């Protein structure tokens, strides 16, 4: 199993002698409660958790009832939908998966069926306790699942620790959606997948009574799929809507940095040049080096760049 690291500095942690906590070299201490390590800063900390902790703590026992109602009202069968969500990760046998915002582990059960090792975390200990009982009732192999209490913005794992990361059903309430998706991508290895989704009626349904009824009962359905929050290192990005068009599901493969271009491919036609000369040169089709020469010569003659270019080009054309 993967060892946890400190969420602040990603440094190794060791178990305390009495097994009550994980301890960092800097003295940071992360308590373990009923086998679940807690990486959320204590109340009063200078760095509060990023999420609606009170909302889920006070509604933990109502959460499953709400899920049951949601599937019924959307005329959807829960098991096939959750199997479809798990399948979107395209997991290979033995894959290591991170689930953020696992709640009461309704999706965790389906991830474990795919012969994966799952690290399932949530901001609410109350949710995790219910989830742990659900996994026990389902006969889950606890050698392949680790529960932890953690903040989606401060994950206790090194870079590239997982083959995939998954979240469904809470992203709209994250105060920094872009940061959460970026952090999920950080802990997934290159070529791995990130899948995340939440309430949002599809845009083609925006003016329907279906949409108006859902938004009237739950304003979260008015959220827009956060395509502009996807990290720049995302590749093969897709967004589809599930549950009769009421939830978005964003999927992408993790790459490295921004997409790359061959900057030196020459364009055909009268304009010519390349991406390098057009963008970095900032002058029509000239190299960055020539641009610097022009800037220097114009300055030496006390002229603006435009004036120097007009004089030089006029002289050259008159000579022809």
């Amino acid at each position: 199993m993967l060892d946890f690291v400190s969420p602040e500095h990603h440094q190794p942690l060791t178990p305390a002698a009495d097994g009550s906590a994980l301890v960092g070299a800097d003295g940071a201490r992360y308590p373990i409660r009923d086998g679940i390590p807690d990486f959320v800063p204590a109340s009063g900390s200078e760095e509060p958790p990023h999420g609606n902790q009170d909302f889920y703590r006070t509604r933990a026992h109502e959460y499953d009832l709400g899920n049951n109602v949601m599937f019924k009202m959307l005329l959807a069968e829960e098991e096939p939908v959750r199997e479809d969500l798990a399948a979107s990760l395209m997991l290979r046998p033995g894959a290591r998966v991170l689930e953020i915002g696992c709640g009461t582990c309704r999706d965790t059960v389906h991830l474990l069926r795919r012969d994966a090792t799952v690290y399932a975390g949530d901001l609410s200990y109350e949710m995790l306790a219910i989830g742990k009982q659900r996994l026990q009732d389902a006969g889950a192999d606890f050698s392949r699942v680790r529960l932890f209490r953690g903040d989606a913005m401060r994950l206790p794992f090194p870079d590239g620790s997982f083959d995939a990361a998954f979240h469904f059903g809470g992203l709209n309430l994250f105060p920094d959606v872009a940061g959460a998706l970026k952090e999920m991508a950080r802990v997934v290895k290159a070529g791995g997948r990130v899948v995340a989704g939440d309430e949002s009626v599809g845009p083609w349904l925006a003016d329907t009574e279906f949409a108006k009824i859902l938004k009237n009962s739950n304003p979260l359905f008015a959220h827009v799929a956060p395509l502009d929050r996807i990290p720049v290192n995302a590749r093969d990005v897709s967004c589809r809507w599930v549950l009769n068009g009421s939830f978005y599901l964003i999927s992408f493969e993790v790459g490295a940095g921004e997409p790359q271009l061959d900057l030196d491919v020459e364009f055909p036609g009268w304009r010519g040049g390349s991406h390098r000369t057009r963008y970095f040169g900032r002058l029509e089709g000239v190299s960055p080096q020539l641009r610097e020469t022009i800037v220097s010569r114009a300055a030496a003659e006390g002229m603006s760049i435009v004036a120097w270019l007009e004089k030089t080009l006029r002289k050259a054309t008159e000579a022809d």
Side-chain angles (χ1 to χ4, degrees):
M1 296 285 280
L2 175 70
D3 290 329
F4 292 104
V5 299
S6 69
E8 291 82 10
H9 310 296
H10 306 152
Q11 297 301 308
L13 300 172
T14 56
D18 61 0
S20 64
L22 295 174
V23 182
D26 59 356
R29 187 179 181 88
Y30 304 96
I32 299 174
R33 179 179 174 186
D34 193 24
I36 300 175
D38 188 345
F39 298 99
V40 177
S43 177
S45 169
E46 294 181 1
E47 187 173 1
H50 298 82
N52 199 336
Q53 187 177 182
D54 290 337
F55 178 88
Y56 286 111
R57 183 175 62 244
T58 59
R59 292 166 174 79
H61 290 284
E62 301 174 10
Y63 183 76
D64 281 334
L65 295 176
N67 265 270
N68 294 337
V69 168
M70 181 189 72
F71 281 94
K72 287 181 180 178
M73 74 181 188
L74 292 171
L75 304 177
E77 293 290 331
E78 181 173 359
E79 289 294 301
V81 170
R82 294 198 186 276
E83 277 296 305
D84 176 59
L85 297 179
S88 66
L89 289 168
M90 302 180 185
L91 300 176
R92 295 181 178 179
R96 190 153 57 196
V97 182
L98 170 66
E99 183 184 3
I100 291 298
C102 66
T104 59
C105 295
R106 295 170 84 108
D107 286 309
T108 315
V109 173
H110 293 269
L111 295 174
L112 287 170
R113 290 176 184 170
R114 312 191 90 77
D115 190 26
T117 297
V118 181
Y119 284 72
D122 199 273
L123 196 60
S124 165
Y125 176 79
E126 290 75 12
M127 289 281 203
L128 290 167
I130 295 172
K132 183 176 181 180
Q133 186 61 56
R134 167 171 278 111
L135 294 174
Q136 290 173 339
D137 293 344
D141 179 358
F142 275 84
S143 70
R144 293 194 296 111
V145 60
R146 292 287 301 275
L147 301 178
F148 68 96
R149 182 170 179 246
D151 184 342
M153 298 298 302
R154 303 165 57 256
L155 295 174
F157 305 104
D159 295 358
S161 298
F162 295 94
D163 298 292
F166 175 80
H167 168 80
F168 188 74
L171 195 60
N172 289 336
L173 292 175
F174 286 13
D176 183 359
V177 173
L181 292 174
K182 183 178 180 180
E183 180 71 346
M184 291 173 72
R186 177 187 69 79
V187 300
V188 172
K189 63 183 64 172
R193 291 187 65 76
V194 173
V195 173
D198 207 353
E199 294 104 334
S200 174
V201 176
W204 69 95
L205 297 170
D207 295 327
T208 64
E209 196 167 45
F210 170 84
K212 293 173 184 177
I213 290 171
L214 285 178
K215 294 173 187 178
N216 179 66
S217 293
N218 184 353
L220 289 174
F221 284 105
H223 278 257
V224 176
L227 299 178
D228 59 337
R229 313 294 176 83
I230 297 172
V232 298
N233 62 330
R235 305 287 187 271
D236 191 24
V237 178
S238 67
C239 181
R240 62 188 176 100
W241 274 259
V242 298
L243 285 166
N244 291 329
S246 62
F247 281 72
Y248 64 83
L249 194 69
I250 293 171
S251 304
F252 61 85
E253 184 177 298
V254 176
E258 296 183 21
Q260 298 297 301
L261 290 168
D262 186 335
L263 299 177
D264 298 307
V265 173
E266 293 287 332
F267 297 118
W270 64 270
R271 188 180 180 194
S274 66
H275 279 308
R276 188 181 303 280
T277 59
R278 291 183 179 184
Y279 184 80
F280 294 102
R282 300 294 183 187
L283 295 174
E284 193 67 28
V286 301
S287 69
Q289 295 81 8
L290 180 54
R291 180 184 185 279
E292 291 304 313
T293 299
I294 293 170
V295 171
S296 298
R297 292 192 179 183
E301 296 183 30
M303 302 175 69
S304 71
I305 296 174
V306 171
W308 190 91
L309 281 171
E310 287 181 346
K311 181 200 72 167
T312 303
L313 292 173
R314 188 177 298 111
K315 181 178 179 180
T317 55
E318 288 173 354
D320 292 339

